[in-house]
Amino acid sequence: MTKPMLPESLAALCRRWHQLQDELSADGVTMLAISKYAPDVAVQALIDQGQRCFGESRPQQLRDRALCWPDCQWHMIGPLQKNKAKYIARHAAMWHSCDDLDTAVAVSRQLDGRTLPVLIQVNIAGNPDQHGVAPEALPAFAGALSALDGVVLHGLMAMAPQDGNELQAFQSMRNLRDELFGGSVGLLSMGMSNDYRAAVTAGAGMVRLGSILFGDLDIRNNKDN
Ligand SMILES: *Cc1c(COP(=O)(O)O)cnc(C)c1O
């Protein structure tokens, strides 16, 4: 059987995916494909290559895609409002962006016997405009989170400041992880298109790649998708 011909941009997407996948798997790092701006055809093309872990920042889109592709893992990476907690509780494979206890309580209440691996988002640069728990507040926040039903603390997530000190920020994250988990067992979700290499150097277990993968397939450029 001949393979259906892919449009050139989808073929290029698949080439980028294979390159990144080879590079990351050599380091034992998991690639989370951030599909928040990717059209369905691009998601399907990556699934056909073997990608299974995807990240979404909007709860309804996460739900829709989890229902459409139930054999994949759909990770929540964006800010969450309490009234959308049910989408995450029902459909997310992991919640990376947990930084508010009330919201975590709302998610926990909707879990209904499920368990949900959760990462605490850390505001590693102490930037007041960014989301995340302050490093000093991490132990108390982790303790409160661990008391919630169904919520399983799995690791930490961060976005590095884009000020040239990415590596330093990622290394601080690793130190926080080692302190909190008493070693390297906690997952570190860190590194995006611009800084994933520094994150891998610092010990990331999962990198979150959007634009470097999907490139010109961004739905914001291609309104007819
Ligand atoms: C959008 C997003 C990413 C991916 O960013 P790129 O720079 O496109 O790779 C990663 N993490 C979070 C939390 C995001 O919102």
Side-chain angles (χ1 to χ4, degrees), residues 34 36-37 57 77-79 97 121 157-159 191-194 208-213:
I34 303 302
K36 62 188 179 194
Y37 298 133
S57 59
I77 61 159
S97 45
Q121 183 169 355
M157 181 273 233
M159 294 166 83
M192 313 191 345
S193 294
N194 289 332
R208 306 182 309 271
L209 303 183
S211 49
I212 197 174
L213 253 186

Side-chain angles (χ1 to χ4, degrees), residues 30-124:
T30 302
M31 179 182 0
L32 190 64
I34 303 302
S35 48
K36 62 188 179 194
Y37 298 133
D40 287 350
V41 286
V43 171
Q44 185 61 56
L46 288 192
I47 292 171
D48 294 344
Q49 304 307 304
Q51 178 69 26
R52 290 294 177 270
C53 302
F54 292 89
E56 290 286 341
S57 59
R58 281 163 297 172
Q60 281 102 330
Q61 181 158 307
L62 184 147
R63 174 208 50 199
D64 293 347
R65 288 185 159 173
L67 291 171
C68 184
W69 289 291
D71 295 337
C72 293
Q73 291 185 13
W74 295 90
H75 293 232
M76 176 59 177
I77 61 159
L80 181 63
Q81 291 167 339
K82 264 180 278 182
N83 62 346
K84 310 262 171 75
K86 59 178 180 288
Y87 300 125
I88 299 319
R90 289 177 198 159
H91 301 288
M94 193 182 289
W95 178 21
H96 291 229
S97 45
C98 175
D99 67 354
D100 175 72
L101 201 59
D102 288 345
T103 311
V105 168
V107 170
S108 166
R109 286 195 178 129
Q110 302 269 357
L111 276 171
D112 231 356
R114 270 187 87 210
T115 56
L116 178 65
V118 172
L119 309 181
I120 301 173
Q121 183 169 355
V122 179
N123 188 347
I124 193 62

